[in-house]
Amino acid sequence: MRFSVFISVLRSLGPVVIGISLGFTLSLLSVSWTEEGCPLEGKEGEDVASGHDGLLKGARKPNSISTGNDVESEEDFEPRIVPYKQVQQSAPKKVFRAKYISTELGMRERLFAGVLTSKNTINTLGVAVNRTISHHLDTVVFFTGSRNRKVPHGMFVVSHGDERLIWNMFQTIRYVLDHYINEYDWFYFVQDDAYTEADRIRELVEHLSMDRELYMGSPEEFIGGEMEGKYCYGGFGYLLSRSLLLRLQIFLENCRNDILSSRPDEWLGRCIIDYTSNNCVSEYEGLEYHHYELGKNSDPSKEQNKKFKRALTVHPVSDPEQMYRLHRYFSEIELQKTYNEIAKLQAEIKNVSLLAFEGNRSAQWPVGVNPPFEPKSRFEVLKWEYFTEEEIYSCIDGAPKCELRGIDKTDVADIIDTAVEELNKKYMPTLHLKKQQLINGYRRFDPTRGMEYTLDLQLEVVNQKGHSRSITKRVHLVRPLSLIEIIPMPYVTEATRVHIIIPLTAEDRSFVNHFLEVFASNAFETSENAILTFLFIYDPEEAQHVNHNDIFADVKNQINVYERKYPTVKIPWISVKTEIPSQIKFMDIISKKHPVDTLFFLAHVNTNINTEFLNRCRMNSINNWQVFFPIHFQEYNPDVAYHNQPRPATVDLVKDAGHFDRRSFDEACFYNSDYMATRSRMVADVQENEDILESLDIYDIFVKYSSLHVFRAVEPALHQQYRYQSCNPKLSEDVYHRCVQSNMEGLGSRSQLAMLLFEQEQGNST
């Protein structure tokens, strides 16, 4: 029993005892192997250490540091002061960023079109080609040999200065390689006596791979038949891939010197075949280059040939009138094709909607048009306008009824005709309907889908037997919004210097100190690319005492203080004398003192100007294109807005603090060249009536005398302190009325004014 107990205990403790014993044994062996000699003094110790060097460094105790000299090892761990050497910073490399993101990403446009023309046809066939294809293709360039003094409007023409046909073709290819080879994937060349169905050409290249060396057109045998291969006949145009032109580029000079030919298309074909071994093809990977040769005096509307209907190019075209007839014919074909596709899609939507949860109700009317706008509250309900054929009961000036005229009258007449036409399509030949009169008309603009109409029409219905009767029919129509088009705008940057013009009268002197403080923190301290100019306005009496009693002396002293505080800043000022302050007269003086490419910002002294607004001034003012008139945020009269309340240190953009003053047109951003061009158009009117300069402002002359876009928008970054404007009755009635309205609306909000009146009434009653 005792033996069995002993055996059980031994079994449980045996592995532990064996493990401990083995561990001690291994540790003893390790210590004996790595034990170092005792340090000896004197030379004997050094000899022993060197004599047993192999033994001492053969193995090392854990966490020990083997050293040959204790003194040196101690010095290694002594803290040392490393002298600081300033690293000379090299000038940072200027990073070049592309002007457009497409350039940086290597994105290219799909198709370039080059039209070969001449001085005899550029004003006839050339103009016709431009009108029929330019709005369908991204870039259309006309190449000619002669230099015309007057280029047709809306055309980009490159003149080579030589009438030799082969030389012109060589120069055309070289010009494309120099200017457009990195911007386009495909290059289409055609003569001006050929009609091009631009949409079909563009659709063809959309299905072609851009990395193929392709020479595509109408293949023709070389004259004489001595040379193998085929070239593309220039009359029907031809497509060249970017890859092919890049390969041909290094051999272009050889082609000019070595190849003799009388035809430019044949010369180009021989050059391509000789140096790239690519023949002209009319079909590639199932895609065909369809063309059609037009007979003399043929009428496009009577052509029944299938090749004609599917042609990409038609040649020859004898005159512009025939070009326009061809364009109309092919446009009608494409339009009918589009209508058929729409009808097919509508039928598919109706068929699919039958399987939906709500059945046919899930398909909105009209099919394919966005569903009507659904208001979320009573304030979002769209308003319907009531109209008849002569009058409309929703007028711009707030009148209850006004005459239907202009575009509104055209719109109503067109929608009535469309309604009757659609009804006849539905009921003919069984019934024929004629409009008698419009009983009721309603319309509203739905921003999600377009203009909606509801018409109650009184119609005369005639059946096949000739019997007629009068009925009333209600119809619903929608004029859907068309495709959104992005209008190209000229390129502008935020690097343009802004010249800020601040007119000052005697009444404005109290605002100068605050203006300079704000402007210094926003512009001077941040090195803003802007120049501040003051315009001191004296009346005749003040101007007589300017030498000994200058009313602007304090302002000039403040300017000197800021110029000393900011040595790199100069604040110029100009003095003028006038009885009636006029923006136009002031700008006439300032305009002559600045270059034509100067960007002006005309502002008032109580306006807070910052970098955010100046950048928007630069972006919204486009030379020879657009002027910018911002609507500033006008603070309310603090005595009204904060009646019996402490005034805040900063004013937030909230309805109780102020409003956007739509009556004010004092602030303006425009280029000097645009002002000078607009001002020159006023010469005749000024000669007849010199007072016009005092009755108009800058906004009026840009609206009346220029063709520029006048861009007017609210500007949240442009704040203006409250001030009471002194309205000059000598100005025009419109300007004076706007000034008075601005003063009235700038007092306070309706609720604030009502509260003051209420408190005043209570005070009077007590």
Side-chain angles (χ1 to χ4, degrees), residues 374-644:
E374 295 184 2
K376 305 301 182 191
S377 66
R378 58 184 297 182
F379 303 104
E380 297 180 357
V381 176
L382 301 178
K383 181 183 67 174
W384 289 86
E385 296 177 350
Y386 178 79
F387 61 88
T388 63
E389 292 185 76
E390 293 81 22
E391 296 169 332
I392 186 169
Y393 291 79
S394 177
C395 307
I396 298 176
D397 57 359
K401 181 178 68 172
C402 53
E403 181 183 357
L404 197 65
R405 63 178 66 183
I407 191 65
D408 290 321
K409 190 175 183 66
T410 304
D411 175 55
V412 170
D414 178 64
I415 208 67
I416 292 174
D417 293 341
T418 302
V420 175
E421 181 181 350
E422 293 297 323
L423 287 172
N424 280 317
K425 286 182 181 178
K426 183 177 181 180
Y427 295 109
M428 286 185 69
T430 306
L431 299 174
H432 179 68
L433 293 87
K434 297 180 181 178
K435 187 208 74 167
Q436 292 182 333
Q437 66 171 345
L438 173 65
I439 302 174
N440 300 305
Y442 304 90
R443 71 176 183 181
R444 73 172 183 181
F445 179 73
D446 188 333
T448 62
R449 62 194 216 145
M451 188 70 79
E452 298 179 353
Y453 302 87
T454 298
L455 306 179
D456 293 330
L457 295 171
Q458 185 174 342
L459 304 168
E460 179 186 3
V461 182
V462 181
N463 60 15
Q464 291 179 328
K465 296 181 179 180
H467 300 297
S468 65
R469 58 175 294 188
S470 180
I471 63 170
T472 301
K473 182 74 173 177
R474 167 162 285 197
V475 294
H476 302 277
L477 302 98
V478 175
R479 192 191 297 274
L481 294 172
S482 60
L483 291 176
I484 298 174
E485 181 180 359
I486 298 177
I487 300 176
M489 296 289 286
Y491 178 74
V492 293
T493 68
E494 295 181 352
T496 308
R497 173 172 290 180
V498 182
H499 290 254
I500 303 169
I501 310 299
I502 306 294
L504 276 182
T505 61
E507 300 173 352
D508 301 327
R509 290 174 295 178
S510 60
F511 296 98
V512 173
N513 187 34
H514 179 266
F515 173 82
L516 286 174
E517 287 181 2
V518 175
F519 190 81
S521 62
N522 292 336
F524 294 160
E525 295 179 2
T526 59
S527 301
E528 179 64 42
N529 190 16
I531 296 179
L532 177 64
T533 302
F534 282 101
L535 183 67
F536 298 135
I537 303 171
Y538 297 87
D539 63 26
E541 184 178 352
E542 295 167 347
Q544 293 178 359
H545 307 91
V546 68
N547 292 328
H548 58 275
N549 186 20
D550 189 357
I551 61 172
F552 294 110
D554 294 339
V555 178
K556 295 175 182 178
N557 291 334
Q558 287 178 296
I559 291 175
N560 293 333
V561 170
Y562 278 93
E563 287 182 342
R564 287 194 296 270
K565 185 177 180 181
Y566 303 97
T568 59
V569 173
K570 298 296 179 183
I571 307 176
W573 48 268
I574 303 172
S575 299
V576 296
K577 180 182 70 172
T578 181
E579 293 183 0
I580 303 175
S582 168
Q583 283 187 332
I584 300 177
K585 289 184 177 180
F586 301 156
M587 283 308 306
D588 286 347
I589 298 172
I590 295 170
S591 176
K592 296 175 183 178
K593 297 179 180 294
H594 291 82
V596 294
D597 60 346
T598 302
L599 174 59
F600 289 125
F601 170 47
L602 189 61
H604 199 272
V605 70
N606 64 331
T607 304
N608 296 336
I609 302 173
N610 54 31
T611 302
E612 181 183 353
F613 166 72
L614 290 178
N615 285 336
R616 276 202 280 268
C617 178
R618 297 180 179 106
M619 299 300 292
N620 292 329
S621 304
I622 305 173
N623 193 15
N624 199 30
W625 182 270
Q626 180 172 283
V627 293
F628 178 41
F629 286 85
I631 304 174
H632 65 257
F633 181 77
Q634 175 74 53
E635 298 177 10
Y636 285 140
N637 188 339
D639 295 332
V640 177
Y642 310 107
H643 183 62
N644 296 330

Side-chain angles (χ1 to χ4, degrees), residues 690-702:
E690 294 183 357
D691 296 336
I692 194 175
L693 296 177
E694 299 173 353
S695 61
L696 298 178
D697 56 12
I698 299 294
Y699 180 80
D700 291 327
I701 68 169
F702 276 118

Side-chain angles (χ1 to χ4, degrees), residues 257-398:
N257 298 327
D258 300 342
I259 299 177
L260 299 177
S261 178
S262 60
R263 294 171 53 90
D265 50 359
E266 185 176 321
W267 172 85
L268 180 62
R270 290 181 60 185
C271 180
I272 293 173
I273 294 172
D274 287 350
Y275 292 99
T276 68
S277 303
N278 285 281
N279 284 290
C280 177
V281 295
S282 61
E283 187 270 337
Y284 181 76
E285 293 183 350
L287 300 172
E288 294 189 28
Y289 188 94
H290 298 286
H291 60 277
Y292 184 78
E293 185 173 357
L294 196 65
K296 293 183 178 180
N297 302 322
S298 62
D299 187 359
S301 60
K302 297 180 180 179
E303 288 285 347
Q304 301 298 325
N305 195 318
K306 291 183 179 180
K307 292 184 178 180
F308 175 70
K309 293 184 178 181
R310 63 184 183 182
L312 280 70
T313 59
V314 178
H315 173 80
V317 179
S318 57
D319 55 65
E321 183 179 352
Q322 191 176 38
M323 183 82 72
Y324 296 136
R325 288 203 303 267
L326 286 167
H327 186 61
R328 177 178 179 177
Y329 176 81
F330 283 99
S331 296
E332 290 176 349
I333 291 178
E334 293 299 318
L335 187 61
Q336 188 59 46
K337 179 181 176 182
T338 303
Y339 285 150
N340 294 337
E341 291 177 356
I342 292 174
K344 182 180 178 181
L345 289 173
Q346 288 177 340
E348 291 179 358
I349 292 173
K350 290 180 180 179
N351 293 334
V352 172
S353 64
L354 293 174
L355 305 176
F357 178 73
E358 297 180 353
N360 284 332
R361 294 178 58 189
S362 63
Q364 299 291 337
W365 179 88
V367 177
V369 179
N370 292 332
F373 172 74
E374 295 184 2
K376 305 301 182 191
S377 66
R378 58 184 297 182
F379 303 104
E380 297 180 357
V381 176
L382 301 178
K383 181 183 67 174
W384 289 86
E385 296 177 350
Y386 178 79
F387 61 88
T388 63
E389 292 185 76
E390 293 81 22
E391 296 169 332
I392 186 169
Y393 291 79
S394 177
C395 307
I396 298 176
D397 57 359

Side-chain angles (χ1 to χ4, degrees), residues 77-318:
F77 290 94
E78 287 290 331
R80 289 180 297 175
I81 298 176
V82 179
Y84 172 73
K85 294 182 180 180
Q86 186 176 3
V87 180
Q88 294 182 356
Q89 294 183 354
S90 59
K93 295 183 179 179
K94 187 176 181 181
V95 180
F96 173 76
R97 295 299 300 272
K99 185 176 180 180
Y100 300 103
I101 191 172
S102 59
T103 306
E104 191 165 340
L105 297 178
M107 298 167 61
R108 294 186 294 269
E109 298 292 340
R110 198 66 177 162
L111 180 62
F112 168 89
V115 182
L116 308 177
T117 184
S118 65
K119 66 177 182 180
N120 297 326
T121 59
I122 188 171
N123 291 306
T124 53
L125 288 173
V127 172
V129 171
N130 184 61
R131 290 179 176 177
T132 54
I133 70 172
S134 61
H135 54 286
H136 293 274
L137 302 178
D138 295 325
T139 302
V140 179
V141 179
F142 290 81
F143 297 96
T144 180
S146 61
R147 301 185 185 276
N148 291 354
R149 293 182 179 180
K150 188 175 181 181
V151 177
H153 179 69
M155 295 173 60
F156 184 72
V157 180
V158 176
S159 300
H160 300 312
D162 197 320
E163 290 293 338
R164 290 175 295 173
L165 298 179
I166 305 302
W167 173 260
N168 283 336
M169 175 58 71
F170 166 76
Q171 291 289 349
T172 297
I173 299 299
R174 190 171 70 173
Y175 184 89
V176 169
L177 287 168
D178 292 341
H179 295 85
Y180 295 104
I181 195 64
N182 293 322
E183 298 180 15
Y184 295 89
D185 291 326
W186 292 93
F187 297 85
Y188 172 67
F189 295 95
V190 68
Q191 298 173 184
D192 61 0
D193 61 345
Y195 171 76
T196 300
E197 217 298 324
D199 291 331
R200 295 181 183 178
I201 289 287
R202 188 174 58 185
E203 184 179 357
L204 174 65
V205 299
E206 289 293 335
H207 293 83
L208 292 173
S209 178
M210 67 181 72
D211 60 346
R212 302 296 184 189
E213 294 184 2
L214 188 61
Y215 179 32
M216 194 175 192
S218 173
E220 293 285 339
E221 297 282 350
F222 285 96
I223 298 176
E226 298 178 357
M227 184 175 178
E228 296 182 359
K230 294 183 178 181
Y231 72 96
C232 289
Y233 175 56
F236 297 113
Y238 42 87
L239 279 171
L240 301 175
S241 66
R242 178 174 179 269
S243 303
L244 180 64
L245 284 176
L246 285 174
R247 186 177 174 188
L248 187 68
Q249 186 173 13
I250 58 177
F251 305 110
L252 200 59
E253 287 290 339
N254 296 342
C255 293
R256 182 172 69 93
N257 298 327
D258 300 342
I259 299 177
L260 299 177
S261 178
S262 60
R263 294 171 53 90
D265 50 359
E266 185 176 321
W267 172 85
L268 180 62
R270 290 181 60 185
C271 180
I272 293 173
I273 294 172
D274 287 350
Y275 292 99
T276 68
S277 303
N278 285 281
N279 284 290
C280 177
V281 295
S282 61
E283 187 270 337
Y284 181 76
E285 293 183 350
L287 300 172
E288 294 189 28
Y289 188 94
H290 298 286
H291 60 277
Y292 184 78
E293 185 173 357
L294 196 65
K296 293 183 178 180
N297 302 322
S298 62
D299 187 359
S301 60
K302 297 180 180 179
E303 288 285 347
Q304 301 298 325
N305 195 318
K306 291 183 179 180
K307 292 184 178 180
F308 175 70
K309 293 184 178 181
R310 63 184 183 182
L312 280 70
T313 59
V314 178
H315 173 80
V317 179
S318 57

Side-chain angles (χ1 to χ4, degrees), residues 12 17 588:
S12 59
V17 174
D588 286 347

